[in-house]
Short mmCIF file of all heavy atoms in Angstrom, two decimals:
data_model
loop_
_atom_site.label_atom_id
_atom_site.label_comp_id
_atom_site.label_asym_id
_atom_site.label_seq_id
_atom_site.Cartn_x
_atom_site.Cartn_y
_atom_site.Cartn_z
N ALA A 62 2.09 10.97 -2.25
CA ALA A 62 1.63 12.34 -2.30
C ALA A 62 1.68 12.92 -0.90
O ALA A 62 1.81 12.18 0.10
CB ALA A 62 0.19 12.41 -2.83
N VAL A 63 1.54 14.26 -0.82
CA VAL A 63 1.47 14.94 0.45
C VAL A 63 0.18 15.77 0.43
O VAL A 63 -0.20 16.29 -0.62
CB VAL A 63 2.69 15.85 0.68
CG1 VAL A 63 2.44 16.85 1.80
CG2 VAL A 63 3.92 15.04 0.99
N GLY A 64 -0.50 15.85 1.55
CA GLY A 64 -1.69 16.70 1.66
C GLY A 64 -1.49 17.77 2.72
O GLY A 64 -0.81 17.54 3.72
N VAL A 65 -2.06 18.95 2.47
CA VAL A 65 -1.96 20.04 3.43
C VAL A 65 -3.35 20.53 3.78
O VAL A 65 -4.12 20.96 2.93
CB VAL A 65 -1.17 21.25 2.83
CG1 VAL A 65 -0.86 22.25 3.91
CG2 VAL A 65 0.10 20.78 2.13
N ALA A 66 -3.69 20.44 5.07
CA ALA A 66 -4.93 21.02 5.59
C ALA A 66 -4.49 22.32 6.27
O ALA A 66 -3.87 22.32 7.31
CB ALA A 66 -5.58 20.09 6.59
N CYS A 67 -4.78 23.45 5.61
CA CYS A 67 -4.04 24.69 5.87
C CYS A 67 -4.91 25.77 6.54
O CYS A 67 -6.07 25.98 6.16
CB CYS A 67 -3.51 25.21 4.56
SG CYS A 67 -2.24 26.45 4.75
N PHE A 68 -4.31 26.51 7.48
CA PHE A 68 -4.94 27.72 8.00
C PHE A 68 -5.09 28.71 6.86
O PHE A 68 -4.41 28.60 5.86
CB PHE A 68 -4.14 28.28 9.18
CG PHE A 68 -2.87 28.99 8.80
CD1 PHE A 68 -2.84 30.38 8.70
CD2 PHE A 68 -1.71 28.29 8.56
CE1 PHE A 68 -1.66 31.05 8.35
CE2 PHE A 68 -0.54 28.94 8.20
CZ PHE A 68 -0.52 30.33 8.09
N GLY A 69 -5.93 29.69 7.03
CA GLY A 69 -6.19 30.56 5.89
C GLY A 69 -6.44 32.00 6.27
O GLY A 69 -6.05 32.40 7.34
N PRO A 70 -7.08 32.70 5.35
CA PRO A 70 -7.71 32.24 4.13
C PRO A 70 -6.69 31.66 3.11
O PRO A 70 -5.56 32.08 3.11
CB PRO A 70 -8.38 33.50 3.56
CG PRO A 70 -8.45 34.48 4.70
CD PRO A 70 -7.32 34.14 5.59
N VAL A 71 -7.22 30.73 2.30
CA VAL A 71 -6.39 30.10 1.28
C VAL A 71 -7.10 30.14 -0.07
O VAL A 71 -8.28 30.50 -0.12
CB VAL A 71 -6.11 28.62 1.62
CG1 VAL A 71 -5.42 28.48 2.94
CG2 VAL A 71 -7.40 27.78 1.60
N ASP A 72 -6.39 29.78 -1.14
CA ASP A 72 -7.00 29.61 -2.43
C ASP A 72 -7.04 28.10 -2.75
O ASP A 72 -6.01 27.52 -3.08
CB ASP A 72 -6.23 30.37 -3.51
CG ASP A 72 -6.89 30.25 -4.89
OD1 ASP A 72 -7.81 29.41 -5.02
OD2 ASP A 72 -6.52 31.00 -5.80
N PRO A 73 -8.20 27.47 -2.59
CA PRO A 73 -8.28 26.00 -2.84
C PRO A 73 -8.72 25.64 -4.24
O PRO A 73 -9.00 24.47 -4.49
CB PRO A 73 -9.35 25.60 -1.80
CG PRO A 73 -10.28 26.76 -1.76
CD PRO A 73 -9.48 28.01 -2.11
N ASN A 74 -8.80 26.61 -5.15
CA ASN A 74 -9.31 26.33 -6.49
C ASN A 74 -8.17 25.93 -7.44
O ASN A 74 -7.35 26.76 -7.80
CB ASN A 74 -10.02 27.60 -7.01
CG ASN A 74 -10.48 27.43 -8.46
OD1 ASN A 74 -10.44 26.31 -9.01
ND2 ASN A 74 -10.91 28.51 -9.07
N PRO A 75 -8.12 24.65 -7.86
CA PRO A 75 -7.05 24.16 -8.71
C PRO A 75 -6.89 24.93 -10.02
O PRO A 75 -5.84 24.92 -10.63
CB PRO A 75 -7.36 22.71 -8.93
CG PRO A 75 -8.33 22.34 -7.88
CD PRO A 75 -9.10 23.58 -7.55
N ALA A 76 -7.97 25.58 -10.46
CA ALA A 76 -7.92 26.29 -11.74
C ALA A 76 -7.38 27.71 -11.57
O ALA A 76 -7.16 28.41 -12.56
CB ALA A 76 -9.34 26.34 -12.35
N SER A 77 -7.16 28.14 -10.36
CA SER A 77 -6.73 29.50 -10.13
C SER A 77 -5.21 29.63 -10.14
O SER A 77 -4.49 28.72 -9.74
CB SER A 77 -7.26 29.95 -8.75
OG SER A 77 -6.49 31.03 -8.25
N PRO A 78 -4.67 30.77 -10.63
CA PRO A 78 -3.20 30.95 -10.66
C PRO A 78 -2.59 30.96 -9.26
O PRO A 78 -1.41 30.70 -9.11
CB PRO A 78 -3.01 32.31 -11.37
CG PRO A 78 -4.35 32.96 -11.39
CD PRO A 78 -5.38 31.87 -11.29
N THR A 79 -3.40 31.27 -8.25
CA THR A 79 -2.87 31.29 -6.87
C THR A 79 -3.35 30.09 -6.08
O THR A 79 -3.40 30.12 -4.84
CB THR A 79 -3.23 32.61 -6.13
OG1 THR A 79 -4.65 32.78 -6.21
CG2 THR A 79 -2.51 33.78 -6.72
N PHE A 80 -3.68 28.99 -6.78
CA PHE A 80 -4.06 27.75 -6.08
C PHE A 80 -2.96 27.33 -5.10
O PHE A 80 -1.77 27.36 -5.44
CB PHE A 80 -4.29 26.60 -7.09
CG PHE A 80 -4.36 25.26 -6.45
CD1 PHE A 80 -5.41 24.91 -5.62
CD2 PHE A 80 -3.33 24.31 -6.63
CE1 PHE A 80 -5.48 23.66 -5.01
CE2 PHE A 80 -3.39 23.06 -6.03
CZ PHE A 80 -4.47 22.74 -5.20
N GLY A 81 -3.37 26.95 -3.93
CA GLY A 81 -2.38 26.45 -2.95
C GLY A 81 -1.69 27.53 -2.16
O GLY A 81 -0.74 27.24 -1.43
N TYR A 82 -2.14 28.78 -2.33
CA TYR A 82 -1.56 29.87 -1.56
C TYR A 82 -2.34 30.10 -0.26
O TYR A 82 -3.57 29.96 -0.23
CB TYR A 82 -1.68 31.20 -2.33
CG TYR A 82 -0.63 31.45 -3.38
CD1 TYR A 82 -0.46 30.55 -4.44
CD2 TYR A 82 0.18 32.57 -3.33
CE1 TYR A 82 0.51 30.80 -5.41
CE2 TYR A 82 1.13 32.83 -4.30
CZ TYR A 82 1.28 31.94 -5.34
OH TYR A 82 2.23 32.19 -6.32
N VAL A 83 -1.63 30.46 0.78
CA VAL A 83 -2.25 31.21 1.88
C VAL A 83 -2.38 32.62 1.35
O VAL A 83 -1.40 33.19 0.84
CB VAL A 83 -1.38 31.18 3.14
CG1 VAL A 83 -1.94 32.15 4.21
CG2 VAL A 83 -1.31 29.77 3.72
N THR A 84 -3.55 33.21 1.39
CA THR A 84 -3.77 34.48 0.68
C THR A 84 -3.63 35.71 1.58
O THR A 84 -2.54 36.19 1.79
CB THR A 84 -5.11 34.48 -0.07
OG1 THR A 84 -6.15 34.19 0.85
CG2 THR A 84 -5.13 33.40 -1.16
N THR A 85 -4.72 36.17 2.16
CA THR A 85 -4.69 37.47 2.84
C THR A 85 -4.60 37.37 4.35
O THR A 85 -5.12 38.19 5.07
CB THR A 85 -5.96 38.26 2.49
OG1 THR A 85 -7.09 37.43 2.80
CG2 THR A 85 -6.01 38.61 1.03
N THR A 86 -3.95 36.35 4.86
CA THR A 86 -3.93 36.16 6.30
C THR A 86 -3.26 37.32 7.03
O THR A 86 -2.29 37.88 6.54
CB THR A 86 -3.18 34.85 6.66
OG1 THR A 86 -3.23 34.67 8.06
CG2 THR A 86 -1.74 34.90 6.22
N PRO A 87 -3.79 37.68 8.19
CA PRO A 87 -3.10 38.69 9.01
C PRO A 87 -1.87 38.11 9.71
O PRO A 87 -1.10 38.86 10.30
CB PRO A 87 -4.16 39.11 10.03
CG PRO A 87 -5.16 38.00 10.07
CD PRO A 87 -5.08 37.31 8.73
N LYS A 88 -1.64 36.80 9.62
CA LYS A 88 -0.49 36.20 10.30
C LYS A 88 0.80 36.71 9.67
O LYS A 88 1.00 36.58 8.47
CB LYS A 88 -0.57 34.68 10.24
CG LYS A 88 0.53 34.03 11.07
CD LYS A 88 0.38 32.55 11.19
CE LYS A 88 1.61 31.94 11.87
NZ LYS A 88 1.90 32.43 13.22
N PRO A 89 1.72 37.26 10.48
CA PRO A 89 2.94 37.86 9.91
C PRO A 89 3.70 36.89 9.02
O PRO A 89 3.84 35.72 9.35
CB PRO A 89 3.76 38.19 11.16
CG PRO A 89 2.77 38.32 12.28
CD PRO A 89 1.65 37.39 11.94
N TYR A 90 4.20 37.39 7.90
CA TYR A 90 5.02 36.72 6.87
C TYR A 90 4.28 35.76 5.97
O TYR A 90 4.81 35.30 4.97
CB TYR A 90 6.19 35.92 7.54
CG TYR A 90 6.91 36.63 8.65
CD1 TYR A 90 6.91 36.13 9.95
CD2 TYR A 90 7.58 37.84 8.40
CE1 TYR A 90 7.58 36.79 10.97
CE2 TYR A 90 8.26 38.51 9.42
CZ TYR A 90 8.24 37.96 10.71
OH TYR A 90 8.87 38.62 11.72
N TRP A 91 3.04 35.35 6.32
CA TRP A 91 2.41 34.28 5.58
C TRP A 91 1.49 34.77 4.45
O TRP A 91 1.04 33.93 3.63
CB TRP A 91 1.63 33.34 6.50
CG TRP A 91 2.54 32.42 7.24
CD1 TRP A 91 3.21 32.67 8.41
CD2 TRP A 91 2.91 31.10 6.83
NE1 TRP A 91 3.97 31.60 8.74
CE2 TRP A 91 3.82 30.61 7.82
CE3 TRP A 91 2.58 30.30 5.78
CZ2 TRP A 91 4.36 29.34 7.74
CZ3 TRP A 91 3.15 29.01 5.70
CH2 TRP A 91 4.04 28.56 6.66
N ALA A 92 1.15 36.03 4.39
CA ALA A 92 0.24 36.49 3.34
C ALA A 92 0.88 36.19 1.98
O ALA A 92 2.07 36.42 1.78
CB ALA A 92 -0.04 37.97 3.49
N HIS A 93 0.07 35.67 1.05
CA HIS A 93 0.50 35.36 -0.34
C HIS A 93 1.68 34.40 -0.38
O HIS A 93 2.61 34.58 -1.13
CB HIS A 93 0.81 36.67 -1.09
CG HIS A 93 -0.26 37.70 -0.91
ND1 HIS A 93 -1.54 37.53 -1.42
CD2 HIS A 93 -0.30 38.88 -0.20
CE1 HIS A 93 -2.29 38.56 -1.08
NE2 HIS A 93 -1.57 39.40 -0.35
N THR A 94 1.61 33.35 0.42
CA THR A 94 2.63 32.31 0.42
C THR A 94 2.18 31.11 -0.42
O THR A 94 1.10 30.56 -0.18
CB THR A 94 2.91 31.83 1.89
OG1 THR A 94 3.44 32.91 2.62
CG2 THR A 94 3.91 30.67 1.89
N ASP A 95 3.00 30.71 -1.36
CA ASP A 95 2.67 29.61 -2.25
C ASP A 95 3.08 28.28 -1.58
O ASP A 95 4.16 27.73 -1.80
CB ASP A 95 3.45 29.78 -3.57
CG ASP A 95 3.16 28.67 -4.57
OD1 ASP A 95 2.30 27.79 -4.27
OD2 ASP A 95 3.79 28.67 -5.65
N VAL A 96 2.19 27.76 -0.76
CA VAL A 96 2.50 26.55 0.04
C VAL A 96 2.64 25.35 -0.87
O VAL A 96 3.62 24.60 -0.81
CB VAL A 96 1.39 26.33 1.11
CG1 VAL A 96 1.62 25.03 1.83
CG2 VAL A 96 1.34 27.49 2.09
N VAL A 97 1.67 25.14 -1.76
CA VAL A 97 1.71 23.96 -2.64
C VAL A 97 2.90 24.00 -3.57
O VAL A 97 3.63 23.02 -3.74
CB VAL A 97 0.39 23.84 -3.43
CG1 VAL A 97 0.52 22.86 -4.58
CG2 VAL A 97 -0.76 23.45 -2.51
N GLY A 98 3.16 25.16 -4.17
CA GLY A 98 4.29 25.28 -5.08
C GLY A 98 5.61 24.96 -4.45
O GLY A 98 6.45 24.26 -5.01
N ARG A 99 5.79 25.45 -3.23
CA ARG A 99 7.07 25.19 -2.53
C ARG A 99 7.24 23.72 -2.20
O ARG A 99 8.31 23.16 -2.33
CB ARG A 99 7.12 26.01 -1.24
CG ARG A 99 7.28 27.49 -1.49
CD ARG A 99 7.56 28.14 -0.17
NE ARG A 99 7.55 29.58 -0.27
CZ ARG A 99 8.20 30.37 0.58
NH1 ARG A 99 8.87 29.83 1.59
NH2 ARG A 99 8.17 31.66 0.46
N LEU A 100 6.15 23.07 -1.75
CA LEU A 100 6.25 21.67 -1.39
C LEU A 100 6.45 20.78 -2.61
O LEU A 100 7.26 19.88 -2.64
CB LEU A 100 4.98 21.23 -0.63
CG LEU A 100 4.80 21.84 0.75
CD1 LEU A 100 3.43 21.52 1.32
CD2 LEU A 100 5.89 21.34 1.72
N ARG A 101 5.71 21.13 -3.71
CA ARG A 101 5.83 20.34 -4.93
C ARG A 101 7.23 20.51 -5.49
O ARG A 101 7.85 19.56 -5.96
CB ARG A 101 4.76 20.78 -5.93
CG ARG A 101 4.43 19.72 -6.92
CD ARG A 101 3.06 19.89 -7.56
NE ARG A 101 2.72 21.27 -7.84
CZ ARG A 101 1.50 21.73 -8.02
NH1 ARG A 101 0.48 20.89 -7.94
NH2 ARG A 101 1.27 22.98 -8.28
N GLY A 102 7.74 21.73 -5.45
CA GLY A 102 9.09 22.00 -5.94
C GLY A 102 10.14 21.19 -5.19
O GLY A 102 11.09 20.70 -5.75
N ALA A 103 9.96 21.08 -3.86
CA ALA A 103 10.97 20.46 -3.03
C ALA A 103 10.84 18.93 -3.03
O ALA A 103 11.84 18.22 -2.90
CB ALA A 103 10.90 20.99 -1.60
N LEU A 104 9.60 18.41 -3.12
CA LEU A 104 9.40 16.98 -2.94
C LEU A 104 9.12 16.25 -4.26
O LEU A 104 9.24 15.02 -4.32
CB LEU A 104 8.24 16.73 -1.95
CG LEU A 104 8.49 17.25 -0.53
CD1 LEU A 104 7.17 17.24 0.28
CD2 LEU A 104 9.54 16.42 0.18
N ASP A 105 8.66 17.02 -5.27
CA ASP A 105 8.41 16.47 -6.59
C ASP A 105 7.38 15.34 -6.57
O ASP A 105 7.58 14.27 -7.19
CB ASP A 105 9.74 15.97 -7.23
CG ASP A 105 9.59 15.84 -8.74
OD1 ASP A 105 8.72 16.54 -9.31
OD2 ASP A 105 10.33 15.04 -9.36
N ILE A 106 6.30 15.50 -5.79
CA ILE A 106 5.18 14.57 -5.76
C ILE A 106 3.88 15.39 -5.75
O ILE A 106 3.95 16.59 -5.46
CB ILE A 106 5.21 13.62 -4.52
CG1 ILE A 106 5.40 14.44 -3.23
CG2 ILE A 106 6.28 12.57 -4.65
CD1 ILE A 106 5.35 13.58 -1.96
N PRO A 107 2.73 14.76 -6.07
CA PRO A 107 1.47 15.53 -6.02
C PRO A 107 1.20 16.06 -4.61
O PRO A 107 1.53 15.39 -3.62
CB PRO A 107 0.42 14.48 -6.40
CG PRO A 107 1.14 13.39 -7.11
CD PRO A 107 2.53 13.37 -6.53
N VAL A 108 0.62 17.27 -4.55
CA VAL A 108 0.29 17.90 -3.26
C VAL A 108 -1.21 18.20 -3.23
O VAL A 108 -1.69 18.97 -4.06
CB VAL A 108 1.12 19.18 -3.06
CG1 VAL A 108 0.73 19.82 -1.72
CG2 VAL A 108 2.61 18.87 -3.06
N GLY A 109 -1.95 17.61 -2.28
CA GLY A 109 -3.35 17.93 -2.09
C GLY A 109 -3.44 19.11 -1.14
O GLY A 109 -2.59 19.27 -0.26
N PHE A 110 -4.47 19.91 -1.30
CA PHE A 110 -4.53 21.15 -0.53
C PHE A 110 -5.98 21.55 -0.26
O PHE A 110 -6.82 21.50 -1.18
CB PHE A 110 -3.85 22.24 -1.31
CG PHE A 110 -3.75 23.56 -0.60
CD1 PHE A 110 -2.78 23.80 0.36
CD2 PHE A 110 -4.62 24.61 -0.94
CE1 PHE A 110 -2.68 25.03 0.99
CE2 PHE A 110 -4.52 25.84 -0.31
CZ PHE A 110 -3.55 26.06 0.67
N ASP A 111 -6.28 21.92 0.95
CA ASP A 111 -7.61 22.47 1.27
C ASP A 111 -7.49 23.25 2.59
O ASP A 111 -6.43 23.27 3.20
CB ASP A 111 -8.65 21.37 1.34
CG ASP A 111 -10.04 21.85 0.90
OD1 ASP A 111 -10.35 23.03 1.13
OD2 ASP A 111 -10.81 21.06 0.33
N THR A 112 -8.62 23.81 3.00
CA THR A 112 -8.61 24.51 4.27
C THR A 112 -8.41 23.49 5.40
O THR A 112 -8.69 22.28 5.24
CB THR A 112 -9.94 25.24 4.52
OG1 THR A 112 -11.00 24.26 4.57
CG2 THR A 112 -10.23 26.24 3.41
N ASP A 113 -8.02 23.94 6.57
CA ASP A 113 -7.85 23.07 7.73
C ASP A 113 -9.15 22.37 8.05
O ASP A 113 -9.19 21.15 8.29
CB ASP A 113 -7.29 23.83 8.94
CG ASP A 113 -7.97 25.18 9.17
OD1 ASP A 113 -8.97 25.50 8.49
OD2 ASP A 113 -7.50 25.90 10.04
N VAL A 114 -10.26 23.09 8.00
CA VAL A 114 -11.53 22.46 8.37
C VAL A 114 -12.06 21.52 7.28
O VAL A 114 -12.64 20.46 7.58
CB VAL A 114 -12.63 23.50 8.73
CG1 VAL A 114 -12.46 23.91 10.17
CG2 VAL A 114 -12.61 24.67 7.80
N ASN A 115 -11.84 21.84 6.01
CA ASN A 115 -12.25 20.90 4.97
C ASN A 115 -11.38 19.66 5.04
O ASN A 115 -11.88 18.54 4.80
CB ASN A 115 -12.12 21.54 3.58
CG ASN A 115 -13.42 22.22 3.12
OD1 ASN A 115 -14.44 22.13 3.79
ND2 ASN A 115 -13.33 22.89 1.98
N GLY A 116 -10.10 19.82 5.34
CA GLY A 116 -9.24 18.67 5.50
C GLY A 116 -9.76 17.75 6.61
O GLY A 116 -9.91 16.55 6.41
N ALA A 117 -10.03 18.34 7.76
CA ALA A 117 -10.52 17.55 8.89
C ALA A 117 -11.84 16.88 8.52
O ALA A 117 -12.11 15.71 8.87
CB ALA A 117 -10.69 18.43 10.11
N ALA A 118 -12.69 17.61 7.79
CA ALA A 118 -13.98 17.04 7.36
C ALA A 118 -13.74 15.82 6.46
O ALA A 118 -14.42 14.80 6.61
CB ALA A 118 -14.77 18.10 6.62
N LEU A 119 -12.79 15.94 5.56
CA LEU A 119 -12.50 14.82 4.66
C LEU A 119 -11.99 13.61 5.43
O LEU A 119 -12.38 12.46 5.15
CB LEU A 119 -11.47 15.26 3.61
CG LEU A 119 -11.17 14.31 2.48
CD1 LEU A 119 -12.37 14.08 1.61
CD2 LEU A 119 -9.99 14.81 1.64
N GLY A 120 -11.14 13.83 6.45
CA GLY A 120 -10.68 12.76 7.30
C GLY A 120 -11.84 12.10 8.03
O GLY A 120 -11.91 10.86 8.12
N GLU A 121 -12.75 12.89 8.53
CA GLU A 121 -13.94 12.35 9.23
C GLU A 121 -14.79 11.55 8.26
O GLU A 121 -15.47 10.61 8.66
CB GLU A 121 -14.73 13.49 9.87
CG GLU A 121 -14.07 14.09 11.10
CD GLU A 121 -14.00 13.13 12.27
OE1 GLU A 121 -15.04 12.50 12.57
OE2 GLU A 121 -12.93 12.98 12.86
N HIS A 122 -14.84 11.98 6.99
CA HIS A 122 -15.63 11.28 6.00
C HIS A 122 -15.04 9.93 5.66
O HIS A 122 -15.72 8.94 5.49
CB HIS A 122 -15.74 12.14 4.74
CG HIS A 122 -16.68 11.58 3.70
ND1 HIS A 122 -16.22 11.05 2.53
CD2 HIS A 122 -18.03 11.45 3.69
CE1 HIS A 122 -17.28 10.63 1.82
NE2 HIS A 122 -18.37 10.85 2.51
N ARG A 123 -13.70 9.88 5.59
CA ARG A 123 -13.03 8.65 5.21
C ARG A 123 -12.98 7.64 6.35
O ARG A 123 -13.12 6.43 6.15
CB ARG A 123 -11.61 8.96 4.72
CG ARG A 123 -10.98 7.79 3.96
CD ARG A 123 -9.61 8.18 3.41
NE ARG A 123 -9.68 8.87 2.13
CZ ARG A 123 -9.44 8.29 0.96
NH1 ARG A 123 -9.16 7.00 0.90
NH2 ARG A 123 -9.48 8.98 -0.15
#
Side-chain angles (χ1 to χ4, degrees):
V63 165
V65 190
C67 195
F68 75 98
V71 301
D72 184 347
N74 175 9
S77 157
T79 53
F80 167 67
Y82 279 59
V83 171
T84 55
T85 54
T86 182
K88 187 172 172 59
Y90 316 117
W91 282 86
H93 312 294
T94 296
D95 181 4
V96 174
V97 166
R99 288 190 188 204
L100 292 170
R101 205 158 37 201
L104 297 167
D105 200 24
I106 50 176
V108 179
F110 183 79
D111 211 327
T112 62
D113 44 7
V114 277
N115 269 355
L119 188 65
E121 287 293 312
H122 186 251
R123 195 176 275 259

